[in-house]
Amino acid sequence: MEQNTVKTMTIDGRQVQFADEPNLLAVIRRAEIELPTFCYHSELSVYGACRLCIVEVEGRGVVTSCSTAPEPGLQVRTNSRELRAMRKINIELLLAGHRQGCPTCAKSDTCKLLDIARKLGVDKVRFREAPKALPLDDSGLSLVRDPNKCVLCGDCVRFCGEVQGVGAIDFAHRGARAQVGPAFGKNLDQAECVNCGQCAAVCPTGAIVPKSQVAEAWEALHDPEKTVVVQIAPAVRVAVGEAFGWAPGRLATGQTVAGLKRLGFDQVFDTAFAADLTIVEEATELFGRLQSGERLPQFTSCCPAWVKFAEQYHPGLLPRLSTCRSPQQMFGAVARQILPEDFGIKRENLVVVSIMPCTAKKFEAARAEFRQGGQPDVDYVLTTQELARMIKEAGIRFADLEPRAFDMPLGFKTGAGVIFANTGGVTEAALRYLHEKLTGEPLVDFEFHQVRGNRGLLEAELELAGRKLRAAIVFGLANARALAERVEDGTVEYDFVEVMACPNGCVGGAGQPVAGSPETRALRQRGVYDADELLQLHKSQDNPYLKECYRRFLEEPGSPPAHRLLHTEYRERREILS
């Protein structure tokens, strides 16, 4: 039997073995050498624009390691005097063309430009600052774009086009006038942006950041006439600790509740309660469609970026989307229904705040469909990053907080609600409900590993009560587009399709602390499943407070009162203006 030959190259005088690494950069990092990069992301195409990962290859001169294939016998140098000087010049040029307002920049603590400049020892900029004075684009509800801070790395352009399949932003003009933005010089609110915010997640500077509502939240907290409640999304608990030096995936639920109490929120609830509510309504809806065989497959509707994507590009699929509101909006509707009476306050004096891993939730909360009497069901949406900022601003030592429990009744949840944070989580939670609905037997083994994973598209076929249930789980809107086209032309047949815009689901949302690698998101996913296993209840239908909610004012799943409060409708939309 032929044995594989061990491949080696020499890096800075050391013999290094390699196997199937995609490029020279990956081999160098495997050798425990961290070359700086701006434009390289393992999930995106190779671009080679920043010129920071340059190395010297004997016989070839200076090359970019991200775009150079590894070969046996290469002689590579990563740290010569000339390379260090070239990298420093590249950083100085970027700094010269970048409006520097580091102390007031929303991304100052995670800015790659600032970090690399420090690591390379850049203590002065020898080039004249570029005369830029481009207008700030804060027209959108979810994102703020400052073209003066853009270093033209192209990360946002490639993610929007390659992973999301939207292409809301791209390069325009040439030379010194080159910039990144929507077509025809429009603002983001006039483009076909779906507000997923992944452009902000990969942006190495503060050129695109989530639009903050911290000031509005503080204003509400300081208003003695207002009762301010807050809901925490499932994905927040496995990521917020990263902003305070904790390892990714470490559960910080108790500290988060305690921190919010210290900030002045009157009641702290769990969006996972509303996720349980979503499952009961959505799985009931799916059960009805399975019985009738109509409007299948049923697509999930809890991701607002996906919903807007479908409204823009696949309006023919809208009848197949679940009519259920997202957990955030279900919570807002229920909170406004029961809390004013419970607290003995006027409806207009209740302020509902969300802590979300997602920037699209800001857009969703402002949709006209989610207003009652002119008042939004959810007043303000803060990202995980914004929550961490508020805790730091208040001088609260997060790690020293004594854990506290959620308030009842809207703080009680089952594991099914918590796993909404992961790709495949909505499907698994629905299966935990449908199994008992279809078989009439209690579900003992509550885990459905067939729908768990990290692939952009995962297909599963399960048998429940003698019936085959076909499901597809997809993340990344480019993957969703390809799947939607196959559904529309009849190439594939499913019963249920779960779509999440962000990598790995909500754990990879753009409002989370910046994830440096897919491994970070995988650790968050593991933390979510750990949280599920630690709970006593794992099926949404077993939530006792949910049962009380139905008894009190919703009657039963799918009832007219439930439809009025918990369901919605969609419309075709086009955002490019003439």
Side-chain angles (χ1 to χ4, degrees):
M1 181 181 294
E2 184 179 347
Q3 295 184 344
N4 292 328
T5 304
V6 176
K7 295 181 286 188
T8 64
M9 67 175 68
T10 303
I11 300 177
D12 293 337
R14 289 191 301 142
Q15 287 289 310
V16 176
Q17 295 183 0
F18 65 98
D20 56 353
E21 283 78 7
N23 49 40
L24 189 54
L25 176 62
V27 180
I28 291 169
R29 286 181 169 172
R30 183 179 174 183
E32 300 174 348
I33 300 171
E34 188 60 36
L35 288 184
T37 60
F38 264 145
C39 64
Y40 179 75
H41 294 269
S42 59
E43 298 162 294
L44 301 179
S45 62
V46 174
Y47 193 52
C50 69
R51 322 303 289 181
L52 292 174
C53 67
I54 52 174
V55 295
E56 290 180 11
V57 176
E58 188 173 294
R60 302 186 189 180
V62 176
V63 300
T64 50
S65 59
C66 69
S67 58
T68 302
E71 298 175 21
L74 288 182
Q75 301 284 328
V76 181
R77 298 180 67 191
T78 70
N79 193 34
S80 68
R81 177 189 298 134
E82 291 78 9
L83 288 171
R84 289 200 305 274
M86 292 170 70
R87 291 191 190 113
K88 290 180 75 169
I89 288 174
N90 287 341
I91 285 292
E92 287 183 63
L93 288 168
L94 290 172
L95 286 168
H98 169 82
R99 189 175 71 184
Q100 299 169 43
C102 299
T104 57
C105 179
K107 213 162 186 177
S108 59
D109 55 345
T110 57
C111 176
K112 287 185 69 174
L113 179 59
L114 186 60
D115 180 57
I116 294 173
R118 287 170 176 164
K119 287 180 178 178
L120 295 181
V122 176
D123 52 10
K124 61 182 177 180
V125 178
R126 293 167 291 176
F127 305 103
R128 186 169 57 195
E129 185 175 343
K132 285 186 177 180
L134 299 172
L136 184 74
D137 178 8
D138 63 351
S139 59
L141 295 167
S142 300
L143 301 165
V144 176
R145 186 175 63 89
D146 187 350
N148 302 293
K149 295 179 180 178
C150 180
V151 293
L152 301 176
C153 66
D155 292 358
C156 58
V157 173
R158 285 179 294 141
F159 205 106
C160 190
E162 296 174 12
V163 178
Q164 301 299 54
V166 176
I169 50 177
D170 208 332
F171 287 98
H173 311 302
R174 295 183 178 183
R177 296 180 62 243
Q179 59 178 280
V180 170
F184 312 116
K186 300 291 186 180
N187 288 331
L188 277 177
D189 69 328
Q190 300 169 314
E192 292 188 332
C193 172
V194 296
N195 302 291
C196 72
Q198 287 298 323
C199 53
V202 298
C203 177
T205 66
I208 306 180
V209 297
K211 191 168 190 176
S212 176
Q213 289 188 305
V214 167
E216 291 88 339
W218 278 125
E219 191 65 29
L221 289 170
H222 293 320
D223 188 340
E225 296 295 320
K226 303 296 184 183
T227 297
V228 188
V229 301
V230 61
Q231 58 170 315
I232 306 174
V236 173
R237 69 204 67 200
V238 293
V240 65
E242 295 170 36
F244 303 94
W246 289 17
R250 180 177 170 184
L251 283 172
T253 313
Q255 287 81 5
T256 305
V257 174
L260 288 164
K261 290 281 190 180
R262 290 278 294 273
L263 288 173
F265 287 94
D266 294 291
Q267 300 271 275
V268 182
F269 300 119
D270 198 337
T271 310
F273 170 89
D276 279 336
L277 187 57
T278 302
I279 280 301
V280 171
E281 288 293 319
E282 189 167 37
T284 298
E285 181 183 6
L286 176 59
F287 180 78
R289 295 193 190 197
L290 291 173
Q291 296 297 100
S292 67
E294 297 176 352
R295 294 179 298 151
L296 291 172
Q298 177 175 303
F299 285 79
T300 57
S301 56
C302 55
C303 173
W306 151 243
V307 169
K308 189 167 186 280
F309 183 88
E311 289 178 322
Q312 289 178 177
Y313 299 112
H314 295 280
L317 288 180
L318 296 182
R320 302 193 195 193
L321 265 66
S322 168
T323 61
C324 289
R325 299 184 182 199
S326 73
Q328 170 181 269
Q329 296 308 135
M330 281 197 183
F331 178 93
V334 170
R336 294 219 179 272
Q337 179 77 15
I338 68 174
L339 294 184
E341 180 182 344
D342 289 354
F343 294 160
I345 62 172
K346 294 180 179 179
R347 184 185 180 91
E348 58 267 24
N349 284 336
L350 177 69
V351 177
V352 179
V353 178
S354 297
I355 310 296
M356 292 285 142
C358 170
T359 57
K361 289 293 181 184
K362 294 173 180 283
F363 170 83
E364 179 186 57
R367 287 181 66 131
E369 301 93 325
F370 303 135
R371 304 180 76 89
Q372 301 180 52
Q375 185 179 26
D377 292 330
V378 175
D379 294 284
Y380 307 118
V381 178
L382 307 177
T383 63
T384 311
Q385 296 174 24
E386 289 172 85
L387 169 61
R389 199 173 308 140
M390 289 182 73
I391 291 173
K392 291 176 181 178
E393 188 177 339
I396 298 169
R397 293 199 296 266
F398 186 81
D400 295 336
L401 289 170
E402 288 290 331
R404 294 189 61 177
F406 287 107
D407 293 296
M408 295 294 114
L410 305 183
F412 193 88
K413 73 280 186 182
T414 72
V418 173
I419 61 174
F420 259 59
N422 288 343
T423 182
V426 181
T427 304
E428 183 170 352
L431 288 171
R432 295 179 187 183
Y433 181 91
L434 278 174
H435 179 277
E436 295 189 351
K437 183 80 171 175
L438 289 168
T439 65
E441 300 175 357
L443 177 67
V444 178
D445 186 4
F446 60 88
E447 294 181 335
F448 288 84
H449 290 277
Q450 306 97 312
V451 297
R452 297 184 181 185
N454 294 312
R455 300 199 299 273
L457 171 62
L458 181 118
E459 297 171 299
E461 188 173 285
L462 306 97
E463 187 167 320
L464 299 178
R467 177 196 173 98
K468 287 185 178 180
L469 186 75
R470 298 155 299 180
I473 298 97
V474 60
F475 66 77
L477 293 176
N479 293 329
R481 182 194 292 275
L483 183 68
E485 290 172 350
R486 292 166 65 200
V487 168
E488 287 178 316
D489 64 22
T491 306
V492 293
E493 292 184 358
Y494 302 108
D495 298 302
F496 190 70
V497 178
E498 175 192 320
V499 183
M500 296 285 187
C502 297
N504 304 100
C506 299
V507 292
Q512 301 276 65
V514 177
S517 66
E519 289 73 26
T520 296
R521 297 195 299 269
L523 289 170
R524 293 174 185 170
Q525 282 185 290
R526 182 64 260 169
V528 168
Y529 289 126
D530 289 344
D532 172 30
E533 292 169 2
L534 289 171
L535 293 170
Q536 287 74 33
L537 300 177
H538 306 280
K539 296 170 288 184
S540 298
Q541 61 269 31
D542 292 342
N543 188 326
Y545 291 95
L546 206 63
K547 296 176 182 178
E548 174 64 17
C549 189
Y550 276 103
R551 187 199 64 79
R552 189 172 168 186
F553 62 91
L554 292 176
E555 296 181 359
E556 64 180 6
S559 68
H563 263 275
R564 179 182 60 82
L565 206 63
L566 306 178
H567 292 249
T568 186
E569 58 186 20
Y570 315 104
R571 64 180 177 86
E572 181 177 354
R573 68 169 76 222
R574 290 289 187 270
E575 290 296 336
I576 291 291
L577 304 182
S578 61

